[in-house]
Amino acid sequence: MLTSHSTALRPHQDVADLPHDDMANALRALAMDAVEQAKSGHPGMPMGMADVATALFSRFMKIDPSRPDWADRDRFVLSAGHGSMLLYAINHLLGYADMGTDQLRSFRQLGAITAGHPEHGHTLGVETTTGPLGQGLTTAVGMALAERMLNARFGDELVDHHTYVIAGDGCLMEGISHEAIDLAGHLKLSKLVVLWDDNGISIDGKTSLSTSTDQLARFAASGWKAMRVDGHAPYALIDALTEARTSDRPVLIACRTTIGFGAPTKAGTEAVHGAPLGATEIEGARQALGWSYPPFEVPDSVRTAWAAIAERGAKAREAWEKRLSASGRRADFEAAMEGDLPADFDEKLDAYKRELSLTAPKVATRKASEMALGVINRATDLTVGGSADLTHSNLTLTKGMVSVTPGNYGGRYLHYGIREHAMAAVMNGLALHRGSIPYGGTFMVFSDYARGAMRLSALMGQRVVYVLTHDSIGLGEDGPTHQPVEHLAMLRATPNLYVFRPADAVETLEAWQLALHAEGTPSVLALSRQNLPTFRTEHSEENLVGYGAYVARKPKRRRDVTLLATGSEVEIAFKGANLLAERGVDAAVVSMPCWELFERQSHEYRRAVLGTAPRVAIEAAARLGWDRWIGERGRFVGMEGFGASGPAPDLYRHFNITPEAVVDATCDLLTCA
């Protein structure tokens, strides 16, 4: 049955008032015209899925283009992002303020908001950046999960909406799709509906070239309700969507479609997937579809029909706003959706930092992270934690946190299972939906598996925190398969991503504080398995990690050499400085927990920290990137290849990452006594 706050039309209600064929053909025409003008793009999917999209939006979608950020709107995700003109055409006809005809005419051109693939933050009504196949589907799982978690907290009056996805064959072939559907089915995310463009065509030709999977059986085995429908039959689509909305499980609707529907010679072939149709084929399509209008022209009657969807959404939004105004939970709800940390948040963290400096614990930074999270999770209820089946290694669960389980969404901790890629994309969905700050843990080496979604976190500017523990050869006996070497360089090369590698408990807390305040930037916390001493034993009101790098040990007389280090190797730098002092060499030690923040400092600050003396860098990772900081005369103490299996102290000695190696590197630069 329809929910009490739904404004969706009932099956077949007022069908005559909504000219389905004309509404769908408008989408087809705008898509093929825009692709033709750009001489680039993908007309096939928009033409094939126009009927599905029209049925969904005309009967069920609850959106208000005049308020694109309305909290209780339905979410629509075009996971098959290459078909972006379908979404742009929909948003144009719905009346989004930024999607005028000029933008359709500028499809795929520099400076236009109508990019080749939909980009969140650049275009109103684009809920998430899509294009890398499978990402949209998995991000939508996060959105649907966010809806259920907020519903558990605030009830149906304030949170009651659906997440709809259009996915293609490619989305379902990508490995991340299995992680996503498994997790969504397990959690019984009943407000999630996936409309599969089951057209049987991929770039190379028929999908039978590479797959014979029974997708309905696969989804059903993962706990979904799965059904098949003719994707060009409006009544059947409406009935299927109506049934989907009553399900107690997530739903897959396999929509059998013809790619490039209406194109006289190319429909149903790979030729229509990713290239303009050409003038002759477009003219034939217009005749076949009965669409006699010039390029980019849509008759008023069709525009009126699409505008009615927006008007219906505006009424639903106004009714919701009345419920919000009357709710005793309004302030809490708005604060959650704004994502603002409590006013006393920093005060509580600063008090804990003072305690850390006083007690100077010797703990692994993964443990220091757990300790910090204990304070953070008590200070705000925005944080939603989780781990990819490594909770008690990543130490991401703190006292009092309750796990989210199937049908019980009132907790704040997620067990993602061994699904690193899905974890990252689901966290993107949680962040995009608003209402929480997600963090999730795995071993740093498995950031390889999560990489695609981590990149999108950065591209979209989402406040997602990646807790990446076991960050070096210091994890020991698990060996080179689990010992990250090149990963810091890869992560640091990613634009708009903070990579924090703290060296003690105080730096770890400061890194967390910065990550939680970074509303437009995701963060990585690279954390050690091995215990590290606290060297920040004097309390600082300032967040020194916020400078990216700072002098942790000043030279006593002059600066003969500067030792640069991060994380667990800062301890080695201190010990190396002590040995050098015995030889009459005065060393400054610089902790560099976040290169990205250091790059933002003034030239004068960076010069003061780095100094003019020769430099030696120490990091149990690959050298790539360090030459920027050590210069042509610098030396590097670190990894030159992969790790090995053995106790951590033995490995540091074996790979010559020791205080003695720091002395040798320094004496290679200087004349030591």
Side-chain angles (χ1 to χ4, degrees):
M1 66 184 67
L2 299 178
T3 61
S4 58
H5 306 308
S6 172
T7 56
L9 298 179
R10 297 185 183 278
H12 319 328
Q13 178 185 355
D14 298 328
V15 171
D17 296 337
L18 293 171
H20 174 94
D21 288 348
D22 287 343
M23 293 173 73
N25 287 336
L27 300 179
R28 294 185 173 103
L30 290 173
M32 61 186 182
D33 290 343
V35 171
E36 183 67 21
Q37 176 137 329
K39 303 301 179 187
S40 170
H42 301 76
M45 192 281 274
M47 296 175 73
M49 286 296 281
D51 287 311
V52 176
T54 300
L56 171 64
F57 276 82
S58 65
R59 305 291 165 164
F60 301 100
M61 281 296 293
K62 183 177 66 171
I63 50 173
D64 179 5
S66 71
R67 282 285 304 277
D69 60 347
W70 167 33
D72 200 38
R73 68 191 181 279
D74 287 340
R75 269 64 170 179
F76 172 68
V77 173
L78 186 68
S79 188
H82 56 275
S84 56
M85 263 311 305
L86 177 65
L87 180 54
Y88 300 149
I90 290 170
N91 287 358
H92 169 72
L93 294 172
L94 288 174
Y96 280 88
D98 61 344
M99 195 56 70
T101 305
D102 59 324
Q103 290 295 334
L104 303 185
R105 291 180 179 274
S106 300
F107 178 55
R108 282 182 163 236
Q109 304 308 300
L110 184 63
I113 64 170
T114 44
H117 294 85
E119 296 184 32
H120 173 76
H122 293 261
T123 310
L124 298 176
V126 174
E127 300 287 1
T128 181
T129 297
T130 56
L133 295 176
Q135 290 290 334
L137 168 61
T138 316
T139 303
V141 172
M143 294 178 181
L145 177 57
E147 190 274 344
R148 289 290 82 196
M149 293 175 70
L150 286 167
N151 174 270
R153 183 175 171 187
F154 294 106
D156 289 347
E157 290 291 313
L158 300 184
V159 184
D160 185 12
H161 55 265
H162 283 76
T163 301
Y164 297 100
V165 181
I166 284 182
D169 293 299
C171 292
L172 302 192
M173 288 187 201
E174 287 285 0
I176 192 174
S177 74
H178 183 77
E179 298 182 23
I181 68 170
D182 191 4
L183 182 61
H186 170 72
L187 290 175
K188 301 186 185 303
L189 299 180
S190 59
K191 296 275 188 165
L192 175 64
V193 179
V194 174
L195 299 151
W196 169 32
D197 181 15
D198 181 16
N199 60 44
I201 295 293
S202 62
I203 292 175
D204 283 356
K206 293 184 181 299
T207 54
S208 58
L209 289 169
S210 58
T211 182
S212 55
T213 297
D214 183 338
Q215 294 291 356
L216 271 70
R218 180 167 79 113
F219 275 76
S222 295
W224 290 54
K225 180 181 179 65
M227 62 182 88
R228 188 180 297 281
V229 68
D230 181 346
H232 301 299
Y235 289 125
L237 287 164
I238 293 168
D239 286 343
L241 282 162
T242 301
E243 184 178 349
R245 289 164 59 89
T246 67
S247 175
D248 60 354
R249 296 171 287 161
V251 177
L252 171 74
I253 304 176
C255 305
R256 180 68 76 180
T257 62
T258 299
I259 190 171
F261 183 90
T265 68
K266 296 182 178 181
T269 73
E270 64 270 23
V272 77
H273 169 82
L277 296 179
T280 301
E281 190 78 4
I282 287 177
E283 180 58 31
R286 277 183 151 76
Q287 292 179 12
L289 297 170
W291 189 262
S292 59
Y293 308 100
F296 298 103
E297 183 175 314
V298 177
D300 289 344
S301 60
V302 175
R303 290 190 178 276
T304 298
W306 277 98
I309 300 169
E311 293 169 4
R312 184 183 75 219
K315 292 178 181 177
R317 189 257 306 164
E318 290 167 358
W320 175 84
E321 288 178 341
K322 290 180 180 178
R323 296 197 299 274
L324 178 64
S325 296
S327 172
R329 304 295 306 282
R330 176 177 181 174
D332 290 343
F333 179 81
E334 290 180 338
M337 297 306 292
E338 285 296 322
D340 293 334
L341 294 164
D344 62 350
F345 181 77
D346 290 322
E347 181 182 340
K348 291 179 178 178
L349 265 59
D350 289 345
Y352 179 60
K353 184 169 74 168
R354 185 183 296 275
E355 178 185 332
L356 288 173
S357 294
L358 180 65
T359 58
K362 184 175 183 179
V363 294
T365 51
R366 62 168 177 160
K367 179 64 177 179
S369 171
E370 179 189 43
M371 293 157 59
L373 279 171
V375 177
I376 290 165
N377 289 336
R378 288 193 300 272
T380 177
D381 54 11
L382 280 173
T383 46
V384 170
S387 172
D389 198 50
L390 288 167
T391 291
H392 302 297
S393 291
N394 302 145
L395 303 181
T396 40
L397 178 64
T398 62
K399 186 177 181 180
M401 293 188 86
V402 175
S403 296
V404 172
T405 58
N408 185 358
Y409 309 105
R412 289 170 56 197
Y413 195 81
L414 298 166
H415 296 277
Y416 290 102
I418 306 168
R419 306 182 184 101
E420 294 87 359
H421 202 175
M423 177 178 72
V426 166
M427 288 197 295
N428 284 341
L430 291 168
L432 287 160
H433 183 282
R434 310 288 289 178
S436 67
I437 304 173
Y439 69 85
T442 187
F443 286 178
M444 186 171 172
V445 75
F446 300 135
S447 61
D448 283 341
Y449 287 158
R451 166 67 181 165
M454 293 180 73
R455 185 175 188 270
L456 287 183
S457 300
L459 183 61
M460 293 188 288
Q462 294 304 300
R463 182 169 44 173
V464 175
V465 184
Y466 294 94
V467 182
L468 303 183
T469 69
H470 297 62
D471 68 347
S472 73
I473 59 170
L475 71 88
E477 292 84 350
D478 278 341
T481 60
H482 284 53
Q483 293 166 0
V485 173
E486 71 276 28
H487 298 74
L488 282 169
M490 175 270 289
L491 293 165
R492 287 169 177 158
T494 304
N496 192 40
L497 177 67
Y498 292 150
V499 181
F500 296 102
R501 191 166 187 247
D504 71 355
V506 174
E507 281 196 353
T508 303
L509 177 68
E510 290 185 337
W512 264 112
Q513 185 176 29
L514 292 162
L516 293 172
H517 278 288
E519 295 186 15
T521 302
S523 298
V524 163
L525 273 72
L527 304 172
S528 74
R529 182 189 184 221
Q530 68 271 41
N531 291 338
L532 303 175
T534 295
F535 67 89
R536 290 272 300 275
T537 55
E538 292 186 11
H539 177 69
S540 169
E541 295 291 340
E542 286 187 293
N543 186 317
L544 298 184
V545 171
Y547 290 101
Y550 61 95
V551 178
R553 168 182 165 144
K554 296 180 180 179
K556 293 184 178 179
R557 301 179 305 280
R558 64 188 184 280
R559 189 186 294 206
D560 296 322
V561 66
T562 300
L563 307 180
L564 309 174
T566 72
S568 47
E569 286 70 69
V570 171
E571 179 185 14
I572 293 175
F574 277 120
K575 291 179 178 179
N578 291 337
L579 292 177
L580 286 168
E582 295 174 4
R583 298 184 177 216
V585 177
D586 211 352
V589 174
V590 172
S591 178
M592 298 187 71
C594 185
W595 291 11
E596 297 78 23
L597 290 175
F598 188 52
E599 289 170 351
R600 293 187 178 185
Q601 305 309 313
S602 67
H603 172 73
E604 292 75 19
Y605 179 81
R606 294 198 306 270
R607 183 173 181 179
V609 169
L610 295 174
T612 57
R615 301 167 196 158
V616 176
I618 311 105
E619 188 171 66
R623 178 171 181 153
L624 187 65
W626 273 107
D627 287 284
R628 173 179 182 183
W629 307 118
I630 62 178
E632 293 183 2
R633 296 176 56 206
R635 297 291 185 271
F636 178 70
V637 176
M639 297 296 292
E640 297 180 356
F642 293 111
S645 178
D650 293 349
L651 292 172
Y652 273 88
R653 287 190 292 270
H654 175 75
F655 290 107
N656 205 27
I657 306 174
T658 64
E660 291 77 15
V662 173
V663 173
D664 291 343
T666 301
C667 289
D668 191 38
L669 287 168
L670 309 173
T671 302
C672 297

